[in-house]
Amino acid sequence: MQKNIIFEDKHIIIAYKPAGIATQTARVGQQDMVSELKNYLAGKPEYKGRKESYLGLVHRLDQPVSGLLVFSKTKQASAELGRQITNGQIQKFYYAVVYGKPEVERGTLTDYLYKNPKTNRSVVVKEDFPQAKKAVLDFELIKTMLALDENSDLVNFAKSNKLGVVSLIDIRLITGRHHQIRVQMSHAGMPLLGDMKYGGELSKELSRRTGCRNVALCAYKLTLFHPVSGEKITFEKQPEGEIFFPFFSSGI
């Protein structure tokens, strides 16, 4: 766990969550970030003798998604970071690998989402739909490349549908809704690779062929105000998933 800690002081921990690990879970025997960090803190000399080390969960990432998370080490820090989340002062940026290419290089997606508690799925609905919540994100196209070898049957078929490429998209999350990025990008015709819940048939098939088992989404940058000093601080980490490697190996 220590290798995944990006920053730590007396008040907060910034940690990188690998894809496939839950942020927090009640399932016995399943690894999660909260438990791992509590075990890490319990092993530190300054925590010796304490019944349990305090660790506040400020925000979450879906289990198949990787990226940066901020945790609080005191109740005071937890309250201040919670206030920043509510006020939109904590900014979160993501890299996503999507199937296809956006029609514009940058833009804003604004939708209304409804979370179905029975299926744990969110869907785009009309603004007046009961319990609908507004969802907003900004996106920018960074780089596009062929999905597979040019002679691949899948790519040839996809080319005829103008979807023969995958794209790296930089996303700034304005609101924080359930599965928001995955739902909105899929609804806009740019499903994320590895997303078997919201992806289309072509993106799912490509995910299987490329061995992309987790959602190709990484929270690579996090900006917040330190809960004690008030200093604006930013943390960044390049995605580790194999699906991202072709985009970053030659620079972006």
Side-chain angles (χ1 to χ4, degrees), residues 131-187:
Q131 301 180 47
K133 294 184 178 181
K134 189 176 184 179
V136 185
L137 62 81
D138 294 332
F139 71 88
E140 181 179 359
L141 172 64
I142 303 299
K143 193 173 183 179
T144 295
M145 61 176 57
L146 284 173
L148 293 171
D149 182 89
E150 290 192 45
N151 296 320
S152 164
D153 291 338
L154 178 64
V155 170
N156 290 332
F157 172 72
K159 279 182 178 179
S160 67
N161 291 276
K162 300 180 180 179
L163 288 173
V165 297
V166 290
S167 301
L168 180 68
I169 307 291
D170 192 341
I171 297 170
R172 180 191 173 202
L173 199 59
I174 308 299
T175 57
R177 306 304 182 196
H178 177 257
H179 293 172
Q180 179 182 335
I181 294 175
R182 298 163 64 184
V183 178
Q184 285 194 280
M185 295 300 285
S186 180
H187 183 71

Side-chain angles (χ1 to χ4, degrees), residues 202-235:
L202 280 174
S203 67
K204 289 179 182 179
E205 178 61 22
L206 179 60
S207 299
R208 286 188 283 266
R209 293 201 184 195
T210 57
C212 185
R213 297 180 178 86
N214 289 300
V215 178
L217 183 64
C218 176
Y220 77 93
K221 184 163 74 170
L222 189 63
T223 296
L224 62 141
F225 295 91
H226 192 279
V228 175
S229 70
E231 177 188 1
K232 187 175 183 179
I233 48 180
T234 298
F235 302 93

Side-chain angles (χ1 to χ4, degrees), residues 69-106:
L69 289 165
V70 56
F71 299 87
S72 56
K73 294 173 69 175
T74 68
K75 292 182 178 180
Q76 294 79 4
S78 187
E80 168 57 22
L81 292 171
R83 184 194 67 79
Q84 291 184 36
I85 285 283
T86 301
N87 294 339
Q89 291 177 290
I90 294 183
Q91 297 183 340
K92 291 170 273 187
F93 299 83
Y94 296 74
Y95 280 132
V97 179
V98 306
Y99 193 50
K101 180 181 179 181
E103 295 181 357
V104 294
E105 288 196 359
R106 58 178 58 86

Side-chain angles (χ1 to χ4, degrees), residues 47 49-53:
Y47 284 86
R50 296 189 190 183
K51 290 184 178 180
E52 186 178 24
S53 53

